[in-house]
Amino acid sequence: MSRNVSNILDRPLGRGGRGGTPDSTVSLSAFAYLYSELVQYHQSRVASISELERRLESSGYGVGLKVLELLAYRARENKRETRLMNILQFVSSSVWKSLFGKAADSLERSIDHADEFMIVDYEPVTSTFISVPSDLGQHSADAYISGIIAGVLDGAGFTARVTAHNVDIEEGENPKGSASAASGIPPRKDKAVFLVKFSREVLARDAALDR
């Protein structure tokens, strides 16, 4: 008599629940509550906004390393990515889908700086249901996600500095389907832009592969 054994590493991220039922997803309200507690925990132990963002980035960094390890295990591939654009597409598609159930809204290259790229998300889960107090000024609640991105990139051998920024949505800009609107929440006026700035060594290595 054979018995099917479900490997937890083969289950989708964000799924689980009692008995490991595959159709039970993580509650968005539960995540928002836990993340809010994480932000408040760090906020009570720092003296500046920049330090708070660094702590959130550090919290996400370890998650990024584990996500990379898990996705590599699932892919059953023995080779690692060596091209810069391919790893960015992996982050904005595979990593995003695994964590947030959808791909990032866009991946863009800076016109002014060859070492900078931008991953855009119109409704990042870390700030869609969390409001930032006015006394925190330009603090980005999405710094946790920038830490995840940095962890994935660093673990894959692409050293980069990743920062989160809130950018106003321009008039005429057409975001994709809004989950917050469906939840009865007013549409966001800004989007999250994750600025990825690669080290010189990474750029030099990528350029050498083109020769």
Side-chain angles (χ1 to χ4, degrees):
M1 182 176 179
S2 62
R3 181 177 63 178
N4 293 327
V5 179
S6 177
N7 188 338
I8 190 172
L9 295 177
D10 290 322
R11 298 175 190 166
L13 292 180
R15 296 178 182 272
R18 294 184 179 178
T21 55
D23 58 341
S24 56
T25 58
V26 173
S27 166
L28 183 57
S29 59
F31 172 82
Y33 172 76
L34 290 174
Y35 185 64
S36 175
E37 289 295 307
L38 175 67
V39 173
Q40 292 180 58
Y41 172 83
H42 288 309
Q43 184 182 351
S44 64
R45 290 164 172 77
V46 299
S48 66
I49 296 175
S50 59
E51 188 178 353
L52 172 59
E53 291 184 342
R54 282 195 297 271
R55 285 188 174 230
L56 291 175
E57 290 170 1
S58 179
S59 296
Y61 183 86
V63 175
L65 291 175
K66 292 298 183 182
V67 168
L68 174 64
E69 183 180 356
L70 178 58
L71 294 181
Y73 167 82
R74 289 179 177 173
R76 304 293 199 278
E77 294 184 359
N78 295 323
K79 63 179 182 178
R80 70 179 182 86
E81 189 54 66
T82 59
R83 300 310 306 263
L84 188 148
M85 282 305 302
N86 289 348
I87 193 66
L88 283 172
Q89 290 169 354
F90 170 75
V91 171
S92 63
S93 58
S94 299
V95 172
W96 234 259
K97 288 178 181 178
S98 296
L99 292 175
F100 311 123
K102 68 178 186 67
D105 291 300
S106 68
L107 170 61
E108 305 169 8
R109 184 165 194 162
S110 172
I111 298 176
D112 302 321
H113 304 282
D115 60 345
E116 293 182 353
F117 296 80
M118 293 160 284
I119 298 175
V120 179
D121 193 329
Y122 285 106
E123 291 191 318
V125 67
T126 44
S127 61
T128 296
F129 301 96
I130 295 177
S131 59
V132 178
S134 57
D135 61 321
L136 290 183
Q138 297 300 313
H139 164 66
S140 175
D142 300 310
Y144 181 76
I145 296 180
S146 65
I148 293 177
I149 298 172
V152 172
L153 293 175
D154 202 21
F158 293 81
T159 306
R161 174 75 177 106
V162 186
T163 52
H165 306 270
N166 296 327
V167 179
D168 291 338
I169 296 177
E170 299 179 0
E171 185 176 354
E173 194 171 351
N174 186 24
K176 296 180 180 179
S178 171
S180 59
S183 304
I185 297 176
R188 291 175 60 123
K189 296 181 180 180
D190 60 3
K191 59 188 175 184
V193 175
F194 300 96
L195 180 64
V196 182
K197 185 178 181 67
F198 288 101
S199 66
R200 292 181 179 179
E201 292 76 14
V202 170
L203 293 175
R205 184 183 66 201
D206 195 67
L209 293 174
D210 288 328
R211 298 170 187 167

